[in-house]
Amino acid sequence: MLGIVPAAGRGSRIQPLGFSKELLPVGSRLDGQTERPCAVSEYLVRRMVLNGVDRICFVIGSGKSDILEYYAAGYDTATAIFVAQPSPVGLCDAIFRAEPLVSPQETVLVGLPDTIWFPEDGFCRLADDRLSFLLFPVDRPELFDAVVVDEGDRVREIQVKQRDAATNWIWGAFKMPGRIFHQLAALWRERDRYDEYLGTLINAYLASGGEAYGVKAGTAYVDVGTFNGYRTALRLLENNDVPEDVGSHLLTAQGRSHVPSFPGEGG
């Protein structure tokens, strides 16, 4: 089972930082009995591992070597793989950089590394044999990709950052069989790599006869890529009984807990 983490974006909304936005410390984690800062991307990685992912592909761009160093030896039982995206030209381009790694028979999970969401077992709520989106209710769906579903939970349309969205349910993560991943990648290429956002590609996939499902199992979702989102994330974590006991799962090649020095933390 493969998890794909697109981490090549510049993070311009929350700059300047002295490190990749995916390593922004948000909340804390337990390293044995010691409380340590927790990188925002760890929340996504942990949720993937909870679903049984044994390989995690980080798609990184230039200047993102700190992500490679942070996750060099993997996370818990999952092996880390790193793929380069030469320039940050959109989510679809980033995700499909992992295509050579995907077997048609395996399950693929995708999430965004600068978000924090609950429940932790959200990926487990999605079926392995279909394209399905984990949906979350938000106050301002026009800032995200709103997912319109019918009474049978089939996706009718994804409204990409659309004013007056028809629903306040947005996707925050998704899962699919490898064969569907390859179908989407082929469709994206057929469309001359036109789609920057995933939503427009999924709409084309649906129009060509494909199926997707939305699962309204999400309870809270925060995009940490802005200062307001960062503050909201801290409140969310406080209300969900963190720190999480994740520190012992993050290892370096030397087999010890890796705790990077964030600005202001010391050596």
Side-chain angles (χ1 to χ4, degrees):
M1 188 176 293
L2 178 70
I4 300 176
V5 179
R10 298 187 181 95
S12 57
R13 295 176 301 166
I14 200 167
Q15 291 293 349
L17 295 172
F19 46 87
S20 296
K21 65 171 182 174
E22 293 81 9
L23 299 184
L24 180 70
V26 183
S28 59
R29 55 183 171 84
L30 295 177
D31 180 10
Q33 297 299 315
T34 304
E35 189 172 357
R36 304 285 191 184
C38 186
V40 61
S41 55
E42 288 186 57
Y43 294 98
L44 171 64
V45 172
R46 174 175 169 79
R47 283 147 176 72
M48 288 180 166
V49 171
L50 283 174
N51 191 85
V53 160
D54 56 5
R55 295 178 300 145
I56 300 175
C57 175
F58 294 89
V59 183
I60 60 176
S62 60
K64 296 272 190 169
S65 60
D66 54 352
I67 295 177
L68 189 155
E69 180 179 354
Y70 196 79
Y71 289 106
Y75 187 92
D76 198 352
T77 57
T79 300
I81 305 168
F82 299 89
V83 174
Q85 184 185 26
S87 58
V89 292
L91 181 60
C92 286
D93 182 86
I95 291 171
F96 296 132
R97 294 279 168 179
E99 185 180 12
L101 305 173
V102 177
S103 165
Q105 291 76 37
E106 73 178 326
T107 303
V108 180
L109 283 64
V110 183
L112 304 177
D114 56 355
T115 63
I116 298 176
W117 45 261
F118 288 89
E120 285 188 69
D121 66 349
F123 278 118
C124 302
R125 313 290 181 95
L126 305 179
D128 292 346
D129 61 350
R130 60 179 65 176
L131 171 59
S132 53
F133 293 88
L134 183 62
L135 305 185
F136 299 83
V138 298
D139 293 331
R140 300 190 61 189
E142 70 274 10
L143 300 179
F144 304 92
D145 285 4
V147 182
V148 181
V149 298
D150 64 17
E151 294 181 354
D153 293 330
R154 287 183 173 85
V155 176
R156 292 172 46 201
E157 178 188 9
I158 295 183
Q159 299 176 340
V160 180
K161 295 178 173 57
Q162 180 175 311
R163 287 187 176 185
D164 301 320
T167 176
N168 70 322
W169 289 89
I170 65 162
W171 73 261
F174 56 99
K175 182 196 289 189
M176 73 190 92
R179 59 178 177 80
I180 294 182
F181 181 90
H182 287 291
Q183 291 172 9
L184 290 173
L187 178 60
W188 179 65
R189 289 190 295 271
E190 289 173 10
R191 290 164 58 83
D192 295 324
R193 295 174 168 82
Y194 163 80
D195 303 283
E196 177 181 358
Y197 299 106
L198 182 73
T200 59
L201 178 64
I202 296 301
N203 289 336
Y205 176 71
L206 297 176
S208 67
E211 286 189 342
Y213 292 81
V215 179
K216 295 180 177 179
T219 57
Y221 181 89
V222 177
D223 176 359
V224 190
T226 66
F227 287 107
N228 183 58
Y230 179 79
R231 289 188 290 267
T232 302
L234 295 178
R235 292 194 297 270
L236 173 65
L237 293 173
E238 184 177 354
N239 292 333
N240 280 275
D241 297 324
V242 291
E244 298 188 0
D245 186 11
V246 300
S248 61
H249 300 306
L250 188 61
L251 303 176
T252 65
Q254 289 74 36
R256 57 188 175 82
S257 295
H258 175 53
V259 183
S261 295
F262 294 111
E265 186 186 319

